[in-house]
């Protein structure tokens, strides 16, 4: 009798991948020799800084680095991320008990949820959301409690109401600012309120800080660990993917509450042997010597944002410029809104050869929007905006 994948316990909890519809259509158009400009996946297109690559190549040539590494990460790498937090945020961390290296941010979040969430534990987070924030909870058999976030203040208000009225108090608050996909940003007072609620109700807090360094117009995203007493309740996940153009390298960190870090370390000791050691050695150099590269990367994203926003406005599609993240979250133009985000995304592909992510892929409250990722250069962005203008004017 053939196997039926629909019977697999966890797989059946995961919905069809909405983005696959757009990806298949994009592939068909390209196969037919159409020049599709792709703003879909948030996959950085820039080269990793040369110094980091050189160090990785050098380390890879040493046979000693070909063996299993440490699942917690090299001590020198943990030291460097702690030094960066002290430099950038004034936060002191113990590299032995309050820092662990992870195979990217997704690994950190998914394995942390497996480590600290039990069946039915409520994890509250904003909707729309990056899919792992919802489905990581579901795979860990927790209860994903998604609160609408038209703006951060409204999310906070709804969170306070939830604590007041819910029979099942949240075991964890899971947030991410600058936010993907909505691009919302917050100040330190927002984080203070999150920590206050967590302390009062005995909840854990996880802040996914993937876009820590991708901030514009003078805005600097605060670390939640800057809040006094935050380490008693919270961890923060930092990734090198966007800050250093190291997306494919899969180097991330979980930092903060020692008890949660210990739980993550224990579960990782069963699941992996850590990141390939030459990548960790190169990451040490990145954190130590490549901060100016992060500034260049940030400036590039800001220029791309400006070109995209200007092009959309010229096309008759006014969109607010984000202060952070590598995305633009665009309300669907009024006359197309009833089609929904998936059908509108397909229309943009067919008529304007421009690929975006449909908002519905980020949860039901993402409907009515599409997301542009700032991954195309200025020339191709302008090319896409000319096509979009022609489509919207038709």
């Amino acid at each position: 009798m053939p196997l039926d994948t629909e019977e697999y316990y966890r797989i059946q909890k995961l919905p069809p991948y909405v983005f696959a519809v757009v990806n298949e259509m994009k592939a068909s158009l390209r196969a037919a020799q159409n020049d599709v400009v792709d703003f879909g996946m948030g996959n950085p297109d820039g080269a990793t800084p040369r110094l980091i690559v050189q160090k990785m190549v050098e380390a890879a040539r040493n046979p000693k680095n070909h063996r299993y590494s440490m699942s917690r990460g090299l001590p020198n790498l943990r030291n460097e991320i702690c030094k960066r937090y002290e430099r950038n945020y004034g936060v002191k961390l113990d590299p032995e008990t309050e820092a662990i290296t992870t195979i990217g941010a997704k690994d950190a979040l998914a394995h942390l949820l497996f480590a600290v969430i039990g069946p039915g534990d409520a994890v509250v987070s904003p909707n729309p959301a990056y899919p792992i924030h919802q489905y990581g909870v579901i795979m860990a058999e927790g209860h994903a409690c998604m609160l609408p976030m038209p703006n951060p203040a409204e999310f906070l208000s709804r969170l306070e109401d939830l604590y007041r009225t819910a029979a099942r108090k949240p075991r964890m608050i899971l947030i991410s600012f600058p936010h993907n996909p909505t691009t919302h940003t917050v100040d330190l007072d927002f984080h203070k309120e999150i920590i206050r609620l967590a302390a009062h109700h005995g909840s854990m807090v996880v802040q996914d800080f993937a876009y820590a360094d991708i901030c514009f117009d003078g805005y600097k995203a605060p670390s939640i660990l800057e809040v006094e007493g935050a380490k008693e309740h919270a961890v923060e996940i930092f990734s090198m993917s966007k800050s250093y153009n190291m997306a494919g390298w899969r180097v991330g960190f979980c930092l903060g509450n020692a008890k949660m870090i210990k739980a993550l370390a224990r579960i990782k000791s069963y699941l992996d042997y850590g990141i390939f050691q030459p990548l960790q050695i190169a990451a040490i150099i990145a954190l130590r010597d490549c901060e100016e590269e992060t500034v260049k990367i940030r400036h590039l994203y800001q220029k791309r944002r400006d070109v995209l926003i200007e092009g959309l406005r010229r096309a008759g599609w006014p969109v607010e410029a984000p202060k952070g993240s590598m995305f633009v979250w665009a309300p669907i133009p009024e006359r197309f809104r009833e089609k929904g985000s998936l059908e509108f995304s397909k229309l943009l592909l067919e008529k304007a050869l421009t690929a975006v992510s449909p908002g519905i892929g980020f949860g039901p409250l993402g409907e009515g929007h599409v997301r542009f990722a700032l991954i195309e250069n200025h020339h191709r962005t302008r090319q896409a905006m000319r096509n979009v203008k022609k489509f919207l004017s038709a």
Side-chain angles (χ1 to χ4, degrees):
M1 186 174 180
L3 291 174
D4 183 353
T5 56
E6 289 183 357
E7 295 177 356
Y8 292 144
Y9 176 69
R10 286 187 175 83
I11 296 301
Q12 67 184 355
K13 295 181 178 184
L14 303 177
Y17 196 57
V18 171
F19 304 119
V21 176
V22 176
N23 289 340
E24 287 170 11
M25 188 174 172
K26 181 173 62 183
S28 296
L29 284 165
R30 284 178 166 167
Q33 307 302 310
N34 290 290
D35 184 15
V36 175
V37 183
D38 189 0
F39 300 101
M41 184 179 176
N43 191 1
D45 65 317
T48 302
R50 184 177 300 176
L51 183 63
I52 302 171
V53 176
Q54 288 174 340
K55 191 63 181 180
M56 186 275 292
V57 171
E58 176 190 317
R61 290 194 173 118
N62 186 343
K64 290 181 180 179
N65 291 323
H66 299 173
R67 306 173 70 187
Y68 293 130
S69 189
M70 301 170 64
S71 65
R72 291 173 60 228
L74 295 176
N76 282 347
L77 181 53
R78 285 182 277 120
N79 280 330
E80 287 302 327
I81 189 61
C82 291
K83 288 178 183 176
R84 188 184 200 267
Y85 260 69
E86 187 163 9
R87 281 195 314 269
N88 288 9
Y89 307 110
V91 173
K92 292 190 176 183
L93 293 162
D94 182 343
E96 286 301 310
T97 61
E98 297 175 334
I100 186 170
T101 306
T102 62
I103 307 172
K106 268 191 174 183
D107 166 69
L109 183 55
H111 286 163
L112 180 64
L113 290 167
F114 273 109
V116 303
I117 293 301
D121 282 348
V123 178
V124 61
S125 57
N127 190 282
Y130 187 50
I132 189 66
H133 290 183
Q134 179 174 357
Y135 294 105
V137 175
I138 290 170
M139 286 188 281
E141 300 194 48
H143 169 64
C145 180
M146 309 299 287
L147 291 184
M149 187 177 67
N151 57 67
E154 180 68 18
F155 172 75
L156 259 185
S157 176
R158 289 173 182 263
L159 181 58
E160 290 173 338
D161 289 343
L162 180 70
Y163 272 114
R164 256 194 316 271
T165 61
R168 178 165 44 185
K169 305 295 184 189
R171 179 82 172 118
M172 176 187 287
I173 305 168
L174 171 54
I175 55 176
S176 178
F177 294 99
H179 189 255
N180 174 17
T182 70
T183 75
H184 285 312
T185 55
V186 298
D187 57 20
L188 193 59
D189 284 342
F190 177 93
H191 287 324
K192 286 178 181 177
E193 280 300 298
I194 292 288
I195 295 300
R196 182 187 66 79
L197 286 168
H200 184 71
H201 296 281
S203 301
M204 296 176 281
V205 178
V206 177
Q207 148 76 344
D208 182 350
F209 207 23
Y211 301 96
D213 298 293
I214 312 303
C215 302
F216 314 129
D217 304 326
Y219 169 73
K220 180 182 178 183
S223 163
I224 200 168
L225 300 179
E226 292 179 65
V227 178
E228 186 176 352
K231 287 195 293 180
E232 295 174 22
H233 307 279
V235 293
E236 189 159 75
I237 294 169
F238 176 77
S239 166
M240 301 192 73
S241 295
K242 314 309 189 298
S243 297
Y244 297 89
N245 276 345
M246 293 174 67
W249 298 57
R250 312 311 303 132
V251 183
F253 304 91
C254 190
L255 308 151
N257 181 265
K259 185 177 180 182
M260 294 167 72
I261 298 292
K262 185 177 180 180
L264 177 57
R266 186 167 180 183
I267 206 165
K268 277 176 62 64
S269 70
Y270 282 90
L271 294 172
D272 71 66
Y273 286 108
I275 303 166
F276 184 45
Q277 198 149 288
L279 302 181
Q280 294 192 61
I281 292 168
I284 292 170
I285 296 304
L287 292 170
R288 186 184 294 165
D289 298 326
C290 295
E291 204 65 19
E292 72 283 355
E293 297 294 335
T294 295
V295 175
K296 293 177 187 175
I297 291 166
R298 177 166 62 246
H299 287 162
L300 176 63
Y301 280 125
Q302 180 163 335
K303 288 177 183 176
R304 288 181 175 184
R305 177 205 66 170
D306 292 345
V307 170
L308 179 61
I309 292 294
E310 181 186 1
L312 288 171
R313 288 173 178 169
R314 285 182 175 176
W317 187 355
V319 175
E320 187 177 346
K323 288 199 298 181
S325 83
M326 57 179 290
F327 306 109
V328 167
W329 185 239
I332 297 172
E334 187 66 41
R335 68 187 172 106
F336 296 100
R337 200 154 296 171
E338 65 180 22
K339 290 183 175 294
S341 59
L342 181 55
E343 288 306 311
F344 179 68
S345 297
K346 289 161 67 176
L347 260 182
L348 271 183
L349 251 181
E350 180 188 354
K351 304 295 186 183
L353 295 176
T354 299
V356 297
S357 293
I360 190 65
F362 302 98
L365 297 178
E367 188 53 276
H369 291 74
V370 293
R371 191 196 71 176
F372 290 81
L374 302 173
I375 53 170
E376 292 280 10
N377 63 38
H378 300 170
H379 168 73
R380 288 183 60 74
T381 298
R382 290 189 179 100
Q383 172 187 325
M385 293 304 99
R386 287 192 294 270
N387 291 345
V388 168
K389 183 177 182 179
K390 192 181 299 182
F391 161 60
L392 292 179
S393 300

